[in-house]
Coordinates of all heavy atoms in Angstrom, one line a residue:
F9 N -6.7 6.4 4.3 CA -7.4 5.6 5.4 C -7.1 6.0 6.8 O -7.8 5.8 7.7 CB -7.1 4.1 5.2 CG -7.8 3.5 4.0 CD1 -7.1 3.2 2.9 CD2 -9.1 3.3 4.0 CE1 -7.7 2.7 1.8 CE2 -9.8 2.7 3.0 CZ -9.1 2.4 1.8
L10 N -6.0 6.7 7.0 CA -5.6 7.1 8.3 C -6.0 8.6 8.6 O -5.9 9.0 9.8 CB -4.1 7.1 8.5 CG -3.5 5.7 8.4 CD1 -2.0 5.8 8.7 CD2 -4.1 4.7 9.3
A12 N -8.7 9.9 9.3 CA -9.7 10.0 10.3 C -9.1 10.4 11.6 O -9.7 10.9 12.5 CB -10.5 8.7 10.5
G13 N -7.8 10.1 11.9 CA -7.2 10.3 13.2 C -7.2 11.8 13.5 O -7.3 12.2 14.7
C16 N -11.4 13.1 13.4 CA -12.5 12.4 14.0 C -12.1 11.8 15.4 O -12.5 10.8 15.8 CB -12.9 11.2 13.1 SG -13.4 11.6 11.4
K119 N -3.7 7.6 15.8 CA -5.0 7.0 16.1 C -5.3 5.8 15.3 O -5.8 4.8 15.8 CB -6.1 8.0 15.8 CG -7.5 7.5 16.2 CD -8.7 8.4 16.0 CE -9.9 7.8 16.5 NZ -11.1 8.7 16.4
S120 N -5.0 5.8 14.1 CA -5.4 4.7 13.2 C -4.4 3.5 13.2 O -4.8 2.4 12.8 CB -5.5 5.2 11.7 OG -6.5 6.2 11.7
F121 N -3.2 3.7 13.7 CA -2.2 2.6 13.8 C -1.7 2.4 15.2 O -2.0 1.3 15.8 CB -1.0 2.9 12.9 CG -0.1 1.7 12.9 CD1 -0.3 0.6 12.2 CD2 1.2 1.8 13.6 CE1 0.5 -0.5 12.2 CE2 2.0 0.7 13.6 CZ 1.8 -0.4 12.9
N124 N -4.4 1.8 17.8 CA -5.2 0.7 17.4 C -4.5 -0.6 17.9 O -5.1 -1.7 17.9 CB -5.3 0.6 15.9 CG -6.5 -0.2 15.4 OD1 -7.6 0.0 15.9 ND2 -6.2 -1.1 14.4
N144 N -7.8 4.1 20.9 CA -8.6 4.9 20.0 C -10.1 4.7 20.1 O -10.8 5.0 19.2 CB -8.2 4.7 18.5 CG -8.2 3.2 18.1 OD1 -8.8 2.4 18.8 ND2 -7.7 2.9 16.9
K146 N -11.7 2.0 19.8 CA -12.2 0.8 19.0 C -12.3 -0.4 19.9 O -11.5 -0.6 20.8 CB -11.3 0.5 17.8 CG -11.1 1.7 16.8 CD -12.4 2.1 16.2 CE -12.2 3.3 15.3 NZ -13.5 3.7 14.6
L179 N -3.3 -5.2 13.0 CA -4.7 -5.1 13.1 C -5.3 -4.1 12.1 O -4.8 -3.0 12.0 CB -5.1 -4.7 14.5 CG -4.8 -5.8 15.6 CD1 -4.9 -5.1 17.0 CD2 -5.6 -7.0 15.5
N180 N -6.4 -4.5 11.5 CA -7.0 -3.6 10.6 C -7.7 -2.5 11.4 O -8.3 -2.7 12.4 CB -8.1 -4.3 9.7 CG -7.4 -5.3 8.7 OD1 -6.4 -5.0 8.2 ND2 -8.2 -6.4 8.5
Y181 N -7.6 -1.3 10.9 CA -8.4 -0.1 11.5 C -9.8 -0.1 11.0 O -10.0 -0.1 9.7 CB -7.7 1.2 11.2 CG -8.4 2.4 11.9 CD1 -8.2 2.6 13.2 CD2 -9.2 3.2 11.1 CE1 -8.8 3.7 13.8 CE2 -9.8 4.3 11.7 CZ -9.6 4.5 13.0 OH -10.3 5.6 13.6
K182 N -10.7 -0.1 11.8 CA -12.2 -0.1 11.4 C -12.7 1.3 11.6 O -12.8 1.8 12.7 CB -13.0 -1.1 12.3 CG -12.5 -2.5 12.2 CD -13.3 -3.4 13.1 CE -12.9 -4.8 12.9 NZ -13.7 -5.7 13.9
H183 N -13.1 1.9 10.5 CA -13.7 3.3 10.5 C -15.1 3.1 11.2 O -15.8 2.2 10.8 CB -13.8 3.8 9.1 CG -12.5 4.3 8.5 ND1 -11.5 3.4 8.1 CD2 -12.1 5.5 8.2 CE1 -10.5 4.1 7.6 NE2 -10.9 5.4 7.6
N184 N -15.4 4.1 12.0 CA -16.8 4.2 12.4 C -17.6 5.0 11.3 O -17.0 5.5 10.4 CB -17.0 4.8 13.8 CG -16.5 6.2 14.0 OD1 -16.5 7.0 13.1 ND2 -15.9 6.4 15.1
E187 N -16.2 8.6 10.7 CA -15.0 8.5 10.1 C -15.1 8.2 8.6 O -14.4 8.7 7.8 CB -14.0 7.6 10.8 CG -13.6 8.1 12.2 CD -12.9 7.0 13.0 OE1 -13.1 5.8 12.6 OE2 -12.3 7.3 14.0
D191 N -13.6 10.3 5.5 CA -12.5 9.8 4.7 C -12.8 9.2 3.3 O -12.0 9.1 2.5 CB -11.8 8.7 5.5 CG -11.2 9.3 6.8 OD1 -11.1 10.4 6.9 OD2 -10.8 8.4 7.6
E248 N -18.8 4.2 19.3 CA -18.4 2.8 19.0 C -19.3 1.7 19.6 O -19.3 0.6 19.1 CB -16.9 2.6 19.4 CG -15.9 3.5 18.8 CD -15.7 3.1 17.3 OE1 -16.1 2.1 16.9 OE2 -15.1 3.9 16.6

Side-chain angles (χ1 to χ4, degrees):
F9 286 106
L10 297 184
C16 306
K119 181 173 185 180
S120 298
F121 181 78
N124 205 47
N144 57 9
K146 301 297 179 181
L179 294 167
N180 293 327
Y181 180 79
K182 298 179 180 179
H183 287 68
N184 62 35
E187 292 167 341
D191 296 347
E248 297 288 348

